[in-house]
Amino acid sequence: MPDVVLIEDDRAIAGPLVRSLENMGYSVRSAWDGAAGLETVLSRPPDLVILDIMLPEMDGWEVCKAIRKTSVVPILMLTALTDEIDRILGLELGADDYLTKPFSTRELVAHIKALLRRVEFDSASATPARKNVITIGELKIDLDRRQVFKGDRELNLRYKEFELLSLLVSSAGEVVTRAEIFDKVWGTDWLGDMRTLEVHIRWLREKLEDDPSQPKYIQTVRSVGYRFALN
């Protein structure tokens, strides 16, 4: 039974959602403000977090950022905000997907199932120890230990950032298409914003590159995908 934490202060929305999810076999824990929601998540990590943005005490962005310091649990953000910058901000802080209000229960459940399937796929396809350490330029990527070093400094990468980097460096020198990246990193049933790839590429460039505006490692192949350069 998947364990879901719902952090939503509007009880008119939260109540029906909890009942619907419980009727579908989910275990649901609720919190009505950001601080309580964060405590609920950290006290017993769930399988998935549904997180509203406009919350009292701590807003959803703050909660998302705090969760990401210690956990890679899937986060589905709920927002009434329609500006692109607001949606992208959630992804930049570590959210995996988002829904814009109003939405149907069927749509919400489709997103939940897609996120949970992706987590199951990631776990099932995790390779045994490959004893692979890839060194390109001043970067060293340990695929077994999921560690990345730039010179002597270890870089702190999010889960999906490492999955994306691992895919690119494993095909270093070759073009990896956008379709292949989405298939292998996010899954073919990805329902979220397709721009999440550009967001994750930007994050990686900010961590790997000396000058992210003129990347030497992660190169864009226009209209096709990306190439990790063999420097």
Side-chain angles (χ1 to χ4, degrees), residues 51-55 58-65 77:
L51 175 61
D52 188 31
I53 289 180
M54 306 305 290
L55 293 168
M58 295 174 67
D59 64 37
W61 289 313
E62 292 180 277
V63 175
C64 181
K65 187 176 180 180
M77 299 197 82

Side-chain angles (χ1 to χ4, degrees), residues 12 47 64 94 96 100 121 169 188 225:
D47 297 306
C64 181
D96 297 277
T100 302
F121 176 81
V169 300
T188 54

Side-chain angles (χ1 to χ4, degrees), residues 30-75:
S30 300
W32 312 112
D33 64 67
L38 178 60
E39 183 179 352
T40 301
V41 171
L42 298 182
S43 64
R44 178 159 57 90
D47 297 306
L48 183 138
V49 176
I50 303 173
L51 175 61
D52 188 31
I53 289 180
M54 306 305 290
L55 293 168
E57 303 298 332
M58 295 174 67
D59 64 37
W61 289 313
E62 292 180 277
V63 175
C64 181
K65 187 176 180 180
I67 291 173
R68 279 292 172 258
K69 291 180 180 179
T70 59
S71 174
V72 294
V73 62
I75 298 175

Side-chain angles (χ1 to χ4, degrees), residues 10-224:
D10 188 339
R11 299 185 186 231
I13 293 176
L17 284 183
V18 170
R19 289 191 294 273
S20 295
L21 292 175
E22 288 179 339
N23 288 337
M24 294 177 187
Y26 295 93
S27 171
V28 185
R29 290 178 283 150
S30 300
W32 312 112
D33 64 67
L38 178 60
E39 183 179 352
T40 301
V41 171
L42 298 182
S43 64
R44 178 159 57 90
D47 297 306
L48 183 138
V49 176
I50 303 173
L51 175 61
D52 188 31
I53 289 180
M54 306 305 290
L55 293 168
E57 303 298 332
M58 295 174 67
D59 64 37
W61 289 313
E62 292 180 277
V63 175
C64 181
K65 187 176 180 180
I67 291 173
R68 279 292 172 258
K69 291 180 180 179
T70 59
S71 174
V72 294
V73 62
I75 298 175
L76 171 60
M77 299 197 82
L78 307 180
T79 176
L81 305 174
T82 56
D83 288 345
E84 176 181 309
I85 187 64
D86 294 313
R87 299 195 298 270
I88 294 298
L89 178 58
L91 296 174
E92 290 183 337
L93 293 176
D96 297 277
D97 197 0
Y98 70 86
L99 269 176
T100 302
K101 298 177 181 178
F103 53 83
S104 67
T105 301
R106 177 180 293 183
E107 185 179 11
L108 173 68
V109 171
H111 281 255
I112 290 173
K113 288 182 176 179
L115 285 171
L116 293 176
R117 278 197 301 268
R118 198 150 59 245
V119 171
E120 291 173 2
F121 176 81
D122 289 342
S123 299
S125 63
T127 58
R130 292 169 289 182
K131 298 183 180 178
N132 279 337
V133 177
I134 299 175
T135 301
I136 300 177
E138 60 180 333
L139 298 178
K140 183 172 73 173
I141 301 97
D142 189 324
L143 299 177
D144 297 337
R145 298 181 178 179
R146 300 181 67 89
Q147 292 178 305
V148 180
F149 295 88
K150 183 175 182 179
D152 296 326
R153 179 170 60 91
E154 182 174 1
L155 305 179
N156 181 26
L157 267 61
R158 301 178 179 89
Y159 182 84
K160 288 297 184 185
E161 287 176 331
F162 186 88
E163 292 297 298
L164 175 56
L165 177 62
S166 176
L167 175 61
L168 292 175
V169 300
S170 295
S171 303
E174 302 175 4
V175 178
V176 184
T177 67
R178 293 173 57 87
E180 184 178 0
I181 292 172
F182 271 109
D183 184 29
K184 293 186 176 180
V185 177
W186 279 275
T188 54
D189 55 4
W190 169 247
L191 297 174
D193 196 318
M194 301 301 285
R195 289 165 297 185
T196 190
L197 174 55
E198 283 76 14
V199 172
H200 281 74
I201 289 291
R202 184 168 76 246
W203 286 345
L204 281 177
R205 283 173 172 163
E206 289 171 352
K207 294 176 180 179
L208 302 179
E209 306 283 359
D210 293 331
D211 183 357
S213 65
Q214 297 184 359
K216 68 176 183 178
Y217 290 115
I218 302 177
Q219 300 177 345
T220 300
V221 181
R222 189 174 298 277
S223 301
V224 180

